[in-house]
Amino acid sequence: MGKYQNIINAVDTRLKTIKEANGYSSDLGNSVYIWRTEPVNDGKLPAIIIRDTGDELINTLSGDFHTFRLSLDLDIATANKESAAAITEVRTLRKDLMKAIGTDLTFGGLAITTDYESSDVMVDSAANSISGVLIKITITYRVPAWED
Amino acid sequence: MIMNDVDHFFRLGVTSVMATYTNVAGTSKSIEVIFDIPSASVNIQNFEITSSAPKATAKSAEVTDAEEGCSLVIDSKTYKITDARPDGYGLTELSLKNG
C-alpha cells in the first residue's frame, strides 16, 4: 500500500477516535465515511465524509523525491429540530474535528504536515434543520520520485 | 361551486385525521387535516441527506390565522408550522417541521 492510501487510512482512523469517551464533545467518530455517495438519513447524523479531491506536486528534490500537497474535503452534517441548535452543533463538531487533526499533523510520520485551508457552513431545512460544514485541509507528504 | 367541494376531500379516518391546531396566540382547537410525510432530499455541500418534508392540508376557513410559529399535534407528535399557503379555493397547505 502506498503512502497516499496510508494517509487516507490514517485520517479515517483519526476521525473515528472522535468520541465522547475519548474526551471529545461528540460521537462524530461513529459515522465516518470515505467517498460515500449514498444519501445519509437525517436520523443517522452527525456524520462526516472524507474525500481526497486531488493533489499537487509542489517540490522535487534533485529529481529523487516528489513532495505532494494532498487536498482533502471533510464534509460534516448534523440535524436538529431547531436551526440555531443545528448550527451550534455543527460548530461543536468542527471543533472536535480540528482537535482530532491537531493531535498529530504528521499522522504518525506519514506526512510532513497538515494545513487548514478553509471552511464553509450551510444550513437547510426539511423535517429537521440540517446544518453542515465543509472543511478543506491539505496534507503535505514526500515520497521517492514516481512512487505513490 | 368549488368552495363547497372542500369537504369532499376530508374523509376522517380515510384521507384525513384529527389534529390539534394552536395559533401564535396559543389558542388551540381541533381541526381535520390531510397529513402526508413525503421524503425529501437535502444537499449540504456535497453531502446528500435524506429526510422528510411533512405537510398537512387543512380547510382554509379553519386556519385563517396560520403562519410561522403556529403548531399542529398529529398522533401525539408536535409539528411546527413553517409556512401556510392558501390555494384560494378553500384549502391551505401547511408546511411542517418537527417540533
Side-chain angles (χ1 to χ4, degrees):
Chain A
M1 201 180 299
K3 189 176 272 190
Y4 185 116
Q5 183 62 53
N6 285 334
I7 289 172
I8 300 298
N9 293 346
V11 172
D12 178 51
T13 300
R14 178 77 59 79
L15 298 187
K16 284 177 175 164
T17 66
I18 302 176
K19 295 181 181 178
E20 289 185 16
N22 294 331
Y24 290 93
S25 302
S26 71
D27 285 321
L28 179 62
N30 287 338
S31 301
V32 180
Y33 305 104
I34 298 175
W35 277 105
R36 180 182 172 113
T37 54
E38 301 82 8
V40 177
N41 186 274
D42 65 353
K44 303 286 186 187
L45 298 176
I48 181 167
I49 299 177
I50 303 165
R51 294 186 182 87
D52 48 313
T53 56
D55 65 10
E56 177 189 7
L57 179 64
I58 59 172
N59 195 9
T60 57
L61 286 176
S62 310
D64 294 330
F65 292 92
H66 285 170
T67 305
F68 289 100
R69 186 180 292 131
L70 169 62
S71 297
L72 291 185
D73 282 3
L74 307 172
D75 248 322
I76 296 173
T78 190
N80 193 291
K81 286 189 283 190
E82 302 293 337
S83 56
I87 287 288
T88 301
E89 271 183 27
V90 92
R91 290 184 187 127
T92 300
L93 297 170
R94 179 183 185 278
K95 182 183 168 197
D96 278 349
L97 174 74
M98 302 292 270
K99 178 181 172 183
I101 298 289
T103 57
D104 172 18
L105 298 178
T106 73
F107 288 92
L110 289 168
I112 298 168
T113 193
T114 300
D115 290 297
Y116 173 88
E117 298 295 328
S118 66
S119 71
D120 281 303
V121 177
M122 268 189 73
V123 65
D124 205 339
S125 186
N128 291 302
S129 289
I130 297 166
S131 65
V133 59
L134 168 61
I135 296 172
K136 291 178 178 284
I137 64 170
T138 57
I139 297 177
T140 305
Y141 68 99
R142 183 184 299 129
V143 290
W146 299 107
E147 287 188 18
D148 187 25
Chain B
M1 212 178 128
I2 293 174
M3 286 293 285
N4 293 335
D5 289 342
V6 165
D7 286 339
H8 295 295
F9 291 103
F10 293 82
R11 297 173 64 194
L12 193 60
V14 181
T15 60
S16 61
V17 295
M18 293 308 294
T20 303
Y21 168 75
T22 303
N23 65 15
V24 172
T27 304
S28 299
K29 64 180 176 183
S30 289
I31 64 170
E32 202 174 343
V33 297
I34 298 167
F35 182 55
D36 190 21
I37 310 180
S39 62
S41 181
V42 175
N43 285 290
I44 297 289
Q45 311 290 3
N46 297 314
F47 207 139
E48 186 179 356
I49 295 138
T50 54
S51 184
S52 57
K55 62 178 182 178
T57 303
K59 297 170 189 173
S60 297
E62 294 186 329
V63 291
T64 52
D65 55 356
E67 59 179 317
E68 185 177 356
C70 299
S71 67
L72 270 186
V73 178
I74 303 170
D75 199 19
S76 302
K77 186 171 171 60
T78 301
Y79 297 91
K80 291 185 290 189
I81 294 173
T82 58
D83 193 21
R85 294 180 301 281
D87 69 354
Y89 298 98
L91 295 175
T92 295
E93 185 173 282
L94 306 169
S95 295
L96 307 175
K97 190 176 172 185
N98 291 336

